[in-house]
Amino acid sequence: MTLLWLIGLLLCIAALAWRRSGLLNGSIATGGFLLIMTLFGSLHWFPTLLLWALFLGIAIPLNLTQWRRTSISTPLFNWFRKTLPEISRTEQEALDAGTVWWDGELFSGNPDWHRLHAFPKPQLSDEEKAFLDGPVEDLCRMANEWQITTEQQDLPEELWQFIRSNGFFGLIIPREYGGKGFSAYAHSQIAMKLSSRSGDLGSTVMVPNSLGPAELLLHYGTEQQKQHYLPRLASGEEIPCFALTSPDAGSDAGAMPDTGIVCKGQWQGEEVIGLRLNWEKRYITLGPVATLLGLAFKAYDPDHLLGEQEDLGISLALIPTDTPGVEIGRRHFPLNAAFMNGPNSGKDVFIPLDWLIGGQAMLGQGWKMLMNCLSVGRSISLPAGSTGGAKMASMTSGAYARIRRQFNLPIGEFEGIQEALARIGGNTYVMNAARSMTAGAVDLGEKPAVLSAVVKYHLTERMRQCINDAMDIHGGKGICLGPKNYLGRAYQAAPISITVEGANILTRSMMIFGQGAIRCHPYLLREMQLTRESDSAKAIEQFDQLLFEHIGYSLGNAAGSLLLGLTDARLLKTPGNAETRRYYQQLTRLSAAFATLSDLCMLMLGGELKRRERLSARLGDILSHLYLGSATLKYYQDHGCPDEDLPFLRWGMDDLLVRIQQAMHEILLNFPDRRIGIALRPLIFPLGRHLRPPSDRTCAEVARRLMTPGAARDRLLDGCYRSQDPDDVTGLLNSTLELVMQADPLENRLNKARATGELAHDSQADELAVAVEAGVLSEQEAELLKRTREARRAVIMVDDFAAEDMQPASGRKRSSKRKAN
């Protein structure tokens, strides 16, 4: 009985902590429980006295505000101020950039799922739908990937003209400046559809509508700059690019060597104060064809022409590429992709101060400007392009696995193929959910700095997995390049999105948790900011309140992790139906465990956590998968919880949950103090690691839905370019799938007739004619089978080339010359 009372006391304290009862309320409730124990528990007087002494020795001092502030908070505040690592200006601007959205809920340890469902479902306006169904569909139909990537290494002129004349470069520019003024969700849908047809087409349209001159002008430009440039950008009269990366400063953009020196110079016949720029940039998309160059550089004022400060910081300017001293370099050749990309440089280029984006007032504010705009661009462009690639892989792989036959069966009936198909379909479902939810957040006015890094990293990586699996399914069809190959270029180009906008290794290892831990934590950033307050007395007073709220938060999450772990979260009330409720419960349990691990890691390592990249990466993986899981559940809910989509949902959620579990397991194995890692295991996994990856049954169900035309396949592929034209490379695939679905019962009838001896013929005879003569098939059925077999053969055939066609262009010229001689 004594043991039961003690367990009851511990559970009472844990429940109070989990419910965030507060210090005073928790003390009163704990004291009340102790009183009941004393009166009715029949405990021996000595342990009872010890419990009371322990309780009163802790509760009374902590509830005496002045004593607590003097004896605990002030020493901790002074220690915190001394040990806090120095934060650079660029780091501080990155921390201040963007907004905290659902990521804050995930850090809380107890996400408010009703708040998640209250966010409106992203919707397209009638005008946006018409643009997608009209010009976007037409542009996709006009694009030929082989022509773009091999024959021309550029978009054909008619595509460039179509893009300009239909306003594709002005998707984000408001109508008053001549643009479309579309929502972030519409921008995402357009980029996704174009990318599902051609990565080069998607990139060409995405870049002017992402991080670049237009977005920077919208947020920071002067009205004069907006009136001059935005209409020209919207119409395609100006082609923009943005030059940030230098040969010696890629991921570490703050170390860029490019400079702008404040000086006096001649401008339009007058001496004015301006900037003399010197730079060297590379990897600049649209750079080779740009007419307007956005440039990032470090500004200095050594002669103090503008003030006392010499190092003014990173600044941004708009420079027409025909300005004297600007050198547009030759093209880069990124993995056979044809989108325009190349270096540029400038030598002693003098510009007036009003060429700075935002004018002189924004001098030195460039990094803050970039961080705020980067969070929006990352939320849309690369996630949309990656999802487009995944949807293309789903469409083509599902169809091909149904069309291609081996051993008298569609190859999609083999379990090895089903495993790969399930990864493609499940990943695509999760990616589309995360893409939609994040674009919707931007339309709500959010600038999700941390979540944009999450979707950039995880959606580009999952796209790469989808393309790899698609290549494995297609086999020889995928590896032979030519006009009939719809996968090869996507496979070649997959690493490009992994590399750009912050390399994925850096994003995972340093940015997601490194930025998220401080930015999204409910207390840490505010505590850090207090250490910089000049009024120490006021700062300590506020620090005291935050500190004990922080302690309550940490204890509450630890208690939640234990209680929810012991009950497997089954007692937790969450939204959802019978199919999804357990997923909400598990995400809540894992969110509490994540918050506990995060706090302990930051407490033990402090600034050292930045250098423990593997640990930071695993914590970032947990945050990321919690977000992807939240998005997946919301997407399913927003679309009416269709039963046909359940296999995709199950695969996605089971995969995400087991990844979270594995990351937590690896953190405990590699915890900074191994003994604490061992002690934490019962708190994080009180019932052990019992979550399991997607079952074989779920994989088979996902694969069959990918191979079968119907509502589930249509919803998964919604927004992907889907041609039915047999003369088109993917249209042939889709039209053949429809034929195969009609003809397969006839193929099965023929197989059965052969097995029973009803259909016998020699190898020289026309099997279909014999089948008609034997009454196994009607003439119409035989004709359908004939057309289907011809279409199936056309699908599985690959391209071949003459010897002279395989030589480089210069080689072909020499060969022709030799023949002429």
Side-chain angles (χ1 to χ4, degrees):
M1 288 300 296
T2 300
L3 181 61
L4 289 175
W5 277 107
L6 290 174
I7 291 174
L9 175 62
L10 291 174
L11 290 176
C12 174
I13 294 171
L16 290 167
W18 170 239
R19 300 306 300 172
R20 311 288 202 270
S21 62
L23 181 58
L24 180 59
N25 292 335
S27 299
I28 294 171
T30 304
F33 191 92
L34 273 174
L35 182 61
I36 294 171
M37 280 181 62
T38 303
L39 295 175
F40 304 105
S42 301
L43 270 69
H44 192 273
W45 66 270
F46 183 69
T48 303
L49 186 62
L50 279 179
L51 286 172
W52 275 107
L54 182 63
F55 166 68
L56 294 174
I58 295 174
I60 291 175
L62 291 183
N63 281 284
L64 295 175
T65 306
Q66 191 57 47
W67 180 90
R68 182 185 73 205
R69 192 172 294 162
T70 303
S71 303
I72 299 176
S73 298
T74 299
L76 281 174
F77 177 80
N78 292 330
W79 171 82
F80 193 43
R81 176 179 271 176
K82 288 179 183 177
T83 58
L84 189 68
E86 189 69 27
I87 297 178
S88 68
R89 178 179 174 182
T90 54
E91 286 178 314
Q92 186 61 53
E93 288 176 343
L95 287 174
D96 293 340
T99 59
V100 176
W101 187 55
W102 184 247
D103 38 346
E105 287 285 343
L106 298 174
F107 259 95
S108 75
N110 188 16
D112 183 351
W113 300 112
H114 295 290
R115 181 183 173 222
L116 176 72
H117 289 308
F119 296 133
K121 173 186 174 183
Q123 301 275 10
L124 295 171
S125 68
D126 291 340
E127 182 184 356
E128 291 166 345
K129 289 178 185 175
F131 190 77
L132 273 160
D133 294 339
V136 177
E137 182 78 10
D138 293 340
L139 182 57
C140 288
R141 188 182 302 113
M142 293 166 63
N144 181 305
E145 186 77 343
W146 181 253
Q147 180 189 26
I148 292 170
T149 60
T150 306
E151 295 176 358
Q152 294 192 221
Q153 264 297 311
D154 189 6
L155 300 184
E157 183 54 38
E158 59 267 25
L159 265 65
W160 278 108
Q161 186 55 43
F162 190 90
I163 289 168
R164 288 189 178 97
S165 60
N166 285 276
F168 279 88
F169 287 155
L171 301 178
I172 66 170
I173 296 175
R175 290 180 180 84
E176 58 264 33
Y177 297 110
K180 299 290 184 185
F182 283 170
S183 64
Y185 182 63
H187 176 193
S188 176
Q189 290 288 113
I190 293 165
M192 180 178 71
K193 188 165 189 174
L194 294 176
S195 298
S196 72
R197 178 58 161 175
S198 164
D200 296 305
L201 189 60
S203 298
T204 300
V205 171
M206 280 191 291
V207 168
N209 291 289
S210 185
L211 175 63
E215 187 175 8
L216 290 163
L217 282 170
L218 285 171
H219 288 91
Y220 300 106
T222 65
E223 189 56 37
Q224 183 179 4
Q225 288 172 337
K226 292 177 183 178
Q227 293 288 351
H228 177 73
Y229 280 120
L230 289 178
R232 298 161 67 89
L233 289 167
S235 67
E237 183 179 351
E238 297 278 10
I239 302 295
C241 69
F242 189 79
L244 175 62
T245 303
S246 303
D248 296 319
S251 298
D252 184 13
M256 68 177 71
D258 312 297
T259 60
I261 306 299
V262 178
C263 61
K264 293 182 179 180
Q266 291 294 316
W267 184 253
Q268 295 180 347
E270 296 182 17
E271 186 178 68
V272 299
I273 295 177
L275 290 155
R276 191 165 302 282
L277 302 170
N278 287 277
W279 76 86
E280 182 186 8
K281 303 289 188 179
R282 64 177 179 180
Y283 307 150
I284 311 306
T285 301
L286 292 186
V289 294
T291 62
L292 183 63
L293 173 70
L295 181 70
F297 59 92
K298 284 186 174 178
Y300 299 92
D301 186 10
D303 297 328
H304 304 286
L305 296 177
L306 300 178
E308 294 302 314
Q309 189 175 354
E310 288 191 18
D311 185 351
L312 303 178
I314 294 173
S315 302
L316 310 179
L318 286 180
I319 306 169
T321 55
D322 59 2
T323 303
V326 175
E327 181 68 31
I328 298 299
R330 302 191 298 175
R331 287 179 63 179
H332 296 315
F333 191 29
L335 293 174
N336 265 349
F339 66 90
M340 289 291 168
N341 188 278
N344 62 71
S345 60
K347 177 70 173 175
D348 292 331
V349 179
F350 183 79
I351 65 169
L353 291 177
D354 58 10
W355 281 18
L356 289 163
I357 298 177
Q360 184 178 339
M362 298 307 293
L363 185 64
Q365 302 298 308
W367 194 245
K368 178 179 72 174
M369 296 158 68
L370 287 172
M371 288 299 99
N372 277 309
C373 290
L374 187 63
S375 68
V376 177
R378 269 188 184 156
S379 301
I380 299 169
S381 298
L382 287 171
S386 299
T387 307
K391 291 200 174 200
M392 182 274 293
S394 293
M395 176 185 71
T396 55
S397 299
Y400 190 78
R402 190 70 180 80
I403 294 167
R404 184 77 164 104
R405 295 176 71 91
Q406 294 283 276
F407 307 105
N408 285 325
L409 282 174
I411 62 172
E413 293 298 324
F414 298 105
E415 290 190 356
I417 299 293
Q418 288 180 351
E419 185 178 5
L421 279 175
R423 281 196 299 267
I424 295 172
N427 278 323
T428 301
Y429 191 84
V430 170
M431 291 168 67
N432 195 44
R435 173 198 68 87
S436 301
M437 181 162 145
T438 311
V442 175
D443 282 329
L444 292 175
E446 301 290 342
K447 295 180 179 179
V450 175
L451 295 181
S452 65
V454 168
V455 291
K456 186 274 173 181
Y457 170 77
H458 286 278
L459 269 60
T460 55
E461 289 291 348
R462 285 176 180 254
M463 177 272 294
R464 174 157 62 178
Q465 178 70 66
C466 288
I467 298 297
N468 284 344
D469 283 328
M471 289 291 287
D472 288 347
I473 290 168
H474 282 74
K477 172 72 174 177
I479 64 172
C480 293
L481 286 175
K484 296 175 183 176
N485 189 319
Y486 40 77
L487 278 178
R489 293 305 190 198
Y491 177 76
Q492 284 182 308
I496 297 174
S497 60
I498 304 296
T499 302
V500 300
E501 296 270 19
N504 274 12
I505 289 178
L506 173 77
T507 302
R508 176 176 179 259
S509 301
M510 297 178 64
M511 290 179 61
I512 293 176
F513 186 79
Q515 187 177 2
I518 299 174
R519 192 73 179 86
C520 304
H521 194 284
Y523 300 104
L524 191 57
L525 182 58
R526 288 186 287 165
E527 290 166 341
M528 292 173 62
Q529 289 170 338
L530 284 174
T531 63
R532 300 186 183 92
E533 284 283 341
S534 56
D535 187 343
S536 294
K538 183 180 178 182
I540 290 172
E541 181 180 343
Q542 295 177 15
F543 182 81
D544 173 73
Q545 181 180 350
L546 283 177
L547 174 65
F548 281 88
E549 287 181 8
H550 189 164
I551 293 172
Y553 156 85
S554 300
L555 292 175
N557 286 323
S561 179
L562 178 63
L563 292 173
L564 296 175
L566 287 171
T567 60
D568 202 22
R570 290 184 182 276
L571 302 180
L572 193 65
K573 187 177 180 181
T574 63
N577 56 28
E579 295 287 346
T580 60
R581 190 170 297 115
R582 289 293 295 140
Y583 291 131
Y584 287 103
Q585 291 172 338
Q586 292 291 357
L587 285 179
T588 301
R589 175 178 77 85
L590 294 170
S591 174
F594 164 66
T596 301
L597 284 174
S598 298
D599 258 2
L600 281 170
C601 288
M602 288 187 287
L603 177 65
M604 294 185 65
L605 292 174
E608 179 67 19
L609 186 58
K610 286 199 300 186
R611 287 173 285 279
R612 298 292 293 271
E613 293 180 22
R614 293 186 185 91
L615 191 62
S616 179
R618 293 177 183 123
L619 288 165
D621 286 345
I622 299 170
L623 173 63
S624 300
H625 294 134
L626 287 170
Y627 178 68
L628 296 181
S630 303
T632 301
L633 290 171
K634 176 171 169 55
Y635 184 84
Y636 179 71
Q637 182 82 17
D638 283 348
H639 287 78
C641 305
D643 288 341
E644 303 98 321
D645 291 2
L646 275 174
F648 297 105
L649 176 81
R650 288 194 196 105
W651 192 99
M653 292 305 301
D654 289 344
D655 176 69
L656 290 166
L657 291 175
V658 83
R659 286 177 186 239
I660 294 172
Q661 177 180 263
Q662 181 62 23
M664 289 181 173
H665 171 60
E666 292 175 5
I667 289 169
L668 295 176
L669 286 177
N670 297 278
F671 211 72
D673 188 320
R674 183 65 187 276
R675 294 165 299 179
I676 295 178
I678 293 171
L680 277 174
R681 191 166 289 275
L683 185 68
I684 304 301
F685 299 124
L687 298 181
R689 289 179 289 134
H690 61 277
L691 297 173
R692 295 292 177 262
S695 68
D696 291 350
R697 180 179 178 182
T698 297
C699 290
E701 289 176 350
V702 171
R704 290 196 177 99
R705 278 162 175 74
L706 270 189
M707 293 189 294
T708 307
R713 177 179 162 89
D714 288 343
R715 270 192 297 273
L716 186 73
L717 300 182
D718 183 47
C720 175
Y721 176 68
R722 299 172 67 185
S723 171
Q724 292 291 333
D725 181 2
D727 293 328
D728 179 82
V729 61
T730 57
L732 172 63
L733 199 66
N734 291 325
S735 61
T736 302
L737 177 62
E738 299 290 343
L739 284 174
V740 164
M741 296 307 296
Q742 299 174 50
D744 265 9
L746 305 179
E747 290 282 9
N748 294 334
R749 192 191 303 171
L750 280 181
N751 289 337
K752 185 177 178 181
R754 290 193 206 99
T756 61
E758 184 181 357
L759 181 64
H761 68 285
D762 70 45
S763 59
Q764 303 302 314
D766 183 343
E767 182 187 50
L768 294 181
V770 173
V772 171
E773 188 176 332
V776 176
L777 297 175
S778 69
E779 290 188 3
Q780 293 83 359
E781 289 171 334
E783 179 59 29
L784 174 61
L785 264 182
K786 181 181 178 182
R787 287 193 294 117
T788 302
R789 289 178 175 182
E790 290 173 350
R792 178 181 275 130
R793 179 172 172 79
V795 164
I796 67 175
M797 292 299 288
V798 299
D799 297 284
D800 50 61
F801 301 91
E804 56 268 23
D805 292 333
M806 299 297 291
Q807 298 178 37
S810 57
R812 288 199 297 271
K813 290 176 183 176
R814 287 194 298 270
S815 177
S816 299
K817 191 173 181 180
R818 282 197 300 271
K819 288 179 180 179
N821 292 335

